[in-house]
Amino acid sequence: MKGEAESQMGVKDRDRFSTATRLRLLGEQTAARVYRSQTKRQARRSRLTGRAALLALVLCSMIVALAYPMRQYVSQRAQISDLQRQQEQARKRVEQLRDLKARWQDDSYAEQQIRLRLHYVMPGETGYIVVDPGTAKQSRIDLRAAHRPWYANIWDGVDKSDASDQ
C-alpha cells in the first residue's frame, strides 16, 4: 500500500509539473476569473442601466415640462424689448412734434413757412417763380402720356419710382 501511494504520489507530482496539467489549471483559473468578472459586470450594468434609464426619464420629462414655459418666456422678453423700442420711438416723435408746435407758435417761423410753401409775398413785394428747364421737358413728356393706355402710364410710374429708390 505504501508503494502504491508513493507511486500515485509520484504520478501526481509528475502530473502537477507537466505542461498539459499546468495549462489546464491555468485555463480553469482564467475561466473562473472571466466568469466572476462577467457576473460582476452584468450586476453592475443592470443597476446602472436602470438608474440611467430612470435619470434619463426624469430629465426628459423635466425638459418637456419646461420647454413651453421657456419658449413663452423668451418670446415675451422679445415682445417686451420691441414694445420698449416702439415706446422710445414714440417718445422721440412726440418731442419732435412738440418742438414743431412751438416753432409754429412763433410768427416769424410761420411767415417764413408760408412764403416758402405757398409762395406768398408781402404787400409791395414782387414774387418771381423760376422754372427749371428740365422740369418743363418733363411736363411735355407727361402730356404724351395722356395719349397712351392707362396701364402703360401706371407701369411707367412704377419704373420711375423704382429708379428713384436706387
Side-chain angles (χ1 to χ4, degrees), residues 32-48:
R33 278 191 218 127
V34 167
Y35 177 74
R36 278 186 299 214
S37 69
Q38 282 180 348
T39 56
K40 287 179 184 176
R41 207 176 304 137
Q42 286 174 352
R44 263 190 261 134
R45 264 194 218 142
S46 64
R47 277 190 314 200
L48 291 177

Side-chain angles (χ1 to χ4, degrees), residues 113-121 127-129:
Q113 291 299 315
I114 290 169
R115 285 173 170 253
L116 181 69
R117 294 180 184 189
L118 302 176
H119 305 289
Y120 277 26
V121 293
Y128 294 98
I129 297 177

Side-chain angles (χ1 to χ4, degrees), residues 58-74:
V58 168
L59 285 175
C60 287
S61 63
M62 287 183 71
I63 288 171
V64 167
L66 293 176
Y68 183 73
M70 285 303 293
R71 189 180 72 181
Q72 288 296 319
Y73 174 77
V74 169

